[in-house]
Amino acid sequence: DADFTPITGLDRSSLSQSCSRATYTITSESGDFSRVQDWMYRNVPGVRMDRRTHQTLYTPTLPGQAVYQCSSDLVANDYSGGYQDKSGNKARNYINWLTQDLEELPGDK
C-alpha cells in the first residue's frame, strides 16, 4: 500500500514455508493503534483476489501445509496523505469500485 512505510525490516528467511500467507502489523501514524494485516502471500499458483475495495484474497492450500496463516516480524506505519488521499477523488473512486463490484456480485453482502 502506498501509505504504508516499514518500521522494521523483514527477514524473509524467517517466514514459514508451511503456510500460504503471512501476517504483519500495521500501526497508526501516531502509534496509538495497530492492526494485523494478512497481505503477504507466497508465490502460489491459483491465488485470486475478489472485489476492488476491501479485497478478499483466496489462496489454495499448499502440499504439506501445516497452517493456512502464520505471523511475521514486519511492522509498518500507516501514514495519512498517501496517493489516494492526494488524488482528490478517493471517495468517488471507492464508490465507483463498489458499484462495479455490486454489478458483478449482486448477492454479495
Side-chain angles (χ1 to χ4, degrees):
D1 190 301
D3 301 338
F4 297 168
T5 302
I7 295 173
T8 63
L10 174 65
D11 177 6
R12 293 188 310 180
S13 68
S14 71
L15 294 173
S16 173
Q17 294 187 18
S18 65
C19 63
S20 295
R21 65 181 183 184
T23 62
Y24 61 99
T25 301
I26 301 171
T27 62
S28 62
E29 192 167 357
S30 65
D32 295 338
F33 305 99
S34 67
R35 66 187 189 276
V36 174
Q37 185 74 289
D38 64 350
W39 282 9
M40 287 176 47
Y41 287 79
R42 298 181 57 75
N43 187 7
V44 178
V47 172
R48 75 174 203 277
M49 181 178 359
D50 288 345
R51 298 172 192 80
R52 292 165 181 84
T53 303
H54 301 286
Q55 300 90 350
T56 303
L57 293 153
Y58 296 94
T59 310
T61 303
L62 298 170
Q65 180 171 304
V67 294
Y68 181 65
Q69 180 171 294
C70 52
S71 60
S72 78
D73 56 359
L74 178 64
V75 178
N77 199 318
D78 186 4
Y79 289 99
S80 58
Y83 173 76
Q84 282 287 352
D85 294 331
K86 291 177 183 173
S87 69
N89 56 1
K90 181 178 181 177
R92 185 175 58 237
N93 285 340
Y94 274 60
I95 290 169
N96 289 338
W97 293 334
L98 287 168
T99 301
Q100 290 174 349
D101 285 345
L102 288 172
E103 288 171 359
E104 292 173 12
L105 305 163
D108 190 39
K109 295 184 185 198

